[in-house]
């Protein structure tokens, strides 16, 4: 019989199972890794403890009533609705076993993988300062931002009916840490108190309220140029923020803070924006860790000895020749997530992976209305209104979801025209 006449078997050829990629974390790094793998010949499972992607650079605006919590969060399932090869799973990863290629979730489910992308971000570190954990408000998650907003608004409600606790710090807010979050929070709080709360509580003398920013080093915005640091300092002081430099915290209590030089500041609200360390899951991985718990990775972002495991974003230490790790920034995480996805696809194609090269997009921080500092690649530095407009544009572009962008834009326009920080609602938390 000629080969052309040979009967054709009706059975389909056995399908080779597609490689399974588990991505843990739908933050900047994990989301971008999964997006880069959507449509590729792999089956992706994206796991997160929350059902949304959170845009943390605007978290302080939720805490200061400028935006609502769901303005800066986008449901992950909606992002991947059109992508057949991406499955979304809600759950907390509790175990990672890189020898057995398995990840365990809190509800008992086990996910087996051929490739793992670990992108679980960072968590708050108290630097061992007594009382931070018990008495200070962290600002790393949406529930924490809402909790802080509730607390501040409730303090003003209490002060309105009973002024006796004001000298004891009822209306004093201490912000610990003069990095971008502390500076942005201080500027926004002074505007919230000086405009909206002054009108809302017209029988209360809101000038009795204090916003105190304490920073351990002798400058704000470490990592920015001296000129930007000075701009932030003078703008905040002009807004009435008390900025204390070279003032490390010694302890936090329910009644306030004590600085290292023994100064006591009575405050019922202490916000901790100072320290982060790697997510505790990092400690489950073998290999070298930095002092802040981050996992030292290979140049292609894989875990040493495990070319099938990639560690990206805040949880990774991408160490350069000068022994300095890349900063914990959204852009580092976004680019790292995409790079890890590219490495997986190269690996599957039998091609060597490439070293990760971070493209620096610059740094920026807003100090309040019409005031920001932006330091862009090529040495371009913007300040004041120009810096502020650049800050607004960049944050709108990187916010995920058209609805979120539109709502945030409308909110900002409303706030600009009316001075109204409209989300002054106390939610039951
Ligand atoms: C208040 C604040 C302001 C910031 N402002 C800026 C800024 O202006 N510019 C800038 O560049 N960077 C800023 N950053 C830093 C930036 O947000 C981070 O560098 C970036 O989010 C890191 O991305 P990531 O994917 O590593 O982590 P994340 O974006 O934090 O994502 C981690 C994800 O992992 C999930 N997860 C954690 N543990 C588990 C677990 N056990 N199981 C399942 N899921 C888990 C989390 O729910 C989260 O979705 C800011 C951060 C904060 C907190």
């Amino acid at each position: 019989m000629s080969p052309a006449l040979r009967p054709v078997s009706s059975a389909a050829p056995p399908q080779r199972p597609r490689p399974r990629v588990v991505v843990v974390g739908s933050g900047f790094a994990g989301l971008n890794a999964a997006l880069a793998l959507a449509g590729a010949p792999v089956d992706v499972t994206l796991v997160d403890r929350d059902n949304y992607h959170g845009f943390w650079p605007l978290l302080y605006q939720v805490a200061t009533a400028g935006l609502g919590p769901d303005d800066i969060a986008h449901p992950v399932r909606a992002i991947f609705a059109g992508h057949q090869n991406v499955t979304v799973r809600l759950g907390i990863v509790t175990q990672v076993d890189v020898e057995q290629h398995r990840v365990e979730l809190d509800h008992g489910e086990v996910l087996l993988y051929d490739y793992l992308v670990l992108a679980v971000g960072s968590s708050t570190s108290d630097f061992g300062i007594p009382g931070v954990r018990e008495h200070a408000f962290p600002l790393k998650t949406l529930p924490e931002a809402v909790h802080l907003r509730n607390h501040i608004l409730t303090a003003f409600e209490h002060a309105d009916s009973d002024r006796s606790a004001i000298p004891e710090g009822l209306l004093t807010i201490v912000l610990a840490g003069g990095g971008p979050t502390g500076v942005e929070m201080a500027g926004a709080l002074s505007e919230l108190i000086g405009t909206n709360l002054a009108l809302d509580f017209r029988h209360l003398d809101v000038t009795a309220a204090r916003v105190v920013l304490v920073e351990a080093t002798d400058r704000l915005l470490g990592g920015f140029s001296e000129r930007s640091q000075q701009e932030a300092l003078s703008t905040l002081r002009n807004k009435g923020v008390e900025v204390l430099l070279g003032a490390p915290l010694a302890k936090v209590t329910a009644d306030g803070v004590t600085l290292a030089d023994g100064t006591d500041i009575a405050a019922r609200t202490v916000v901790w924006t100072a320290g982060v360390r790697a997510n505790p899951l990092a400690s489950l991985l073998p290999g070298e860790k930095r002092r802040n718990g981050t996992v030292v990775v290979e140049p292609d972002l894989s875990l040493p000895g495990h070319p099938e495991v990639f560690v990206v974003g805040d949880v990774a230490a991408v160490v350069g020749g000068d022994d300095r790790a890349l900063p914990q920034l959204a852009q580092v995480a976004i680019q790292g997530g995409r790079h890890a996805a590219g490495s997986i696809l190269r690996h599957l194609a039998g091609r060597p992976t490439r070293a990760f090269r971070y493209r620096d997009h610059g740094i920026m921080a807003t100090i309040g209305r019409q005031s920001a500092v932006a330091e862009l690649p090529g040495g371009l530095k913007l300040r004041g209104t120009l810096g502020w407009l650049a800050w607004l544009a960049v944050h709108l572009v990187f916010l995920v979801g058209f609805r979120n962008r539109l709502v945030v834009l409308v909110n900002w326009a409303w706030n600009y025209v009316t001075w109204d920080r409209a989300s002054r609602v106390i939610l039951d938390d």
Side-chain angles (χ1 to χ4, degrees):
M1 197 191 301
S2 87
L5 298 176
R6 198 174 285 152
V8 178
S9 158
S10 60
Q15 295 252 312
R16 281 189 64 208
R18 305 204 318 168
R20 297 156 300 179
V21 183
V22 171
V23 179
V24 186
S26 62
F28 286 101
L31 183 77
N32 281 282
L35 281 171
L37 291 170
V42 290
D43 286 326
V44 180
T45 305
L46 175 58
V47 192
D48 201 289
R49 62 186 175 198
D50 296 317
N51 78 335
Y52 54 81
H53 165 79
F55 191 78
W56 311 136
L58 293 180
L59 196 60
Y60 81 95
Q61 296 217 355
V62 176
T64 53
L67 293 171
D70 51 1
D71 299 342
I72 66 158
H74 200 85
V76 179
R77 284 183 188 274
I79 298 170
F80 292 98
H83 298 291
Q84 297 301 320
N85 73 322
V86 182
T87 302
V88 175
R89 190 63 87 236
L90 181 70
I92 300 173
V93 170
T94 51
Q95 288 297 330
V96 179
D97 185 339
V98 293
E99 300 307 329
Q100 304 294 323
H101 290 205
R102 46 183 271 149
V103 161
E104 236 174 86
L105 309 192
D106 57 337
H107 56 261
E109 188 177 358
V110 171
L111 300 171
L112 300 175
Y113 64 80
D114 299 302
Y115 294 94
L116 173 67
V117 179
L118 196 72
V120 283
S122 51
S123 55
T124 303
S125 163
D126 62 4
F127 292 152
I129 297 172
V132 168
R133 196 174 294 271
E134 297 82 358
H135 303 295
F137 288 81
L139 186 60
K140 274 205 65 68
T141 66
L142 270 182
E144 286 169 358
V146 172
H147 184 52
L148 177 56
R149 181 181 77 189
N150 286 348
H151 177 83
I152 293 169
L153 296 175
T154 306
F156 277 82
E157 294 292 346
H158 287 165
D160 199 30
S161 54
D162 175 9
R163 284 160 180 65
S164 65
I166 295 177
E168 292 160 20
L170 180 59
L171 297 185
T172 300
I173 302 164
V174 170
L175 302 163
T181 303
V183 166
E184 293 182 335
M185 183 84 192
L189 271 174
S190 71
E191 287 173 6
L192 171 72
I193 295 169
T195 55
N196 294 140
L197 298 187
L199 287 173
D200 289 353
F201 297 92
R202 60 187 184 282
H203 300 301
L204 190 65
D205 176 16
V206 296
T207 57
R210 295 170 66 194
V211 178
V212 187
L213 179 58
V214 297
E215 162 58 36
T217 70
D218 61 356
R219 61 197 59 202
L220 296 176
L221 296 181
F224 284 67
S225 67
E226 204 177 324
R227 195 156 172 211
S228 297
Q229 294 170 345
Q230 285 303 327
E231 166 102 358
L233 182 62
S234 57
T235 308
L236 285 182
R237 284 189 169 151
N238 286 340
K239 285 174 176 291
V241 175
E242 298 169 48
V243 182
L244 307 180
L245 298 176
L249 274 192
K251 75 171 179 205
V252 182
T253 65
D255 301 322
V257 300
T258 304
L259 304 181
D261 66 1
T263 309
D264 286 317
I265 304 172
R268 295 285 171 84
T269 311
V270 179
V271 186
W272 181 251
T273 69
V276 291
R277 57 177 291 110
N279 184 298
L281 273 189
S283 65
L284 301 179
L285 299 185
E288 187 188 345
K289 315 283 171 348
R290 304 277 281 194
R291 257 182 54 202
N292 63 357
T294 49
V295 179
V296 177
V297 291
E298 298 283 9
D300 68 352
L301 306 184
S302 65
L303 184 68
H306 289 272
E308 74 289 358
V309 177
F310 294 87
V311 185
V312 285
D314 277 6
V315 71
V318 187
V319 184
D322 56 359
D323 198 43
R324 289 176 61 173
L326 287 178
Q328 290 172 308
L329 290 176
Q331 268 303 325
V332 176
I334 291 170
Q335 294 175 30
R338 290 177 187 154
H339 187 86
S343 297
I344 291 172
L345 297 179
R346 290 180 75 85
H347 209 261
L348 284 171
R351 292 155 66 201
T353 56
R354 290 190 181 140
F356 174 57
R357 298 248 176 281
Y358 171 55
R359 284 183 309 285
D360 188 355
H361 289 207
I363 44 177
M364 42 180 66
T366 177
I367 316 159
R369 193 181 176 84
Q370 283 185 307
S371 177
V373 287
E375 302 191 351
L376 304 173
L380 183 62
K381 293 188 176 60
L382 303 175
R383 294 180 297 131
T385 307
L386 221 52
W388 186 64
L389 289 173
W391 182 92
L392 293 178
V394 165
H395 284 74
L396 272 183
V397 166
F398 283 100
L399 196 60
V400 172
F402 179 72
R403 178 198 160 273
N404 294 58
R405 278 187 212 126
L406 191 66
V407 171
V408 168
L409 181 65
V410 169
N411 254 289
W412 284 349
W414 176 259
N415 172 252
Y416 185 74
V417 175
T418 64
W419 293 81
D420 185 22
R421 299 180 78 85
S423 299
R424 300 189 306 282
V425 284
I426 299 174
L427 294 175
D428 184 7
D429 64 343

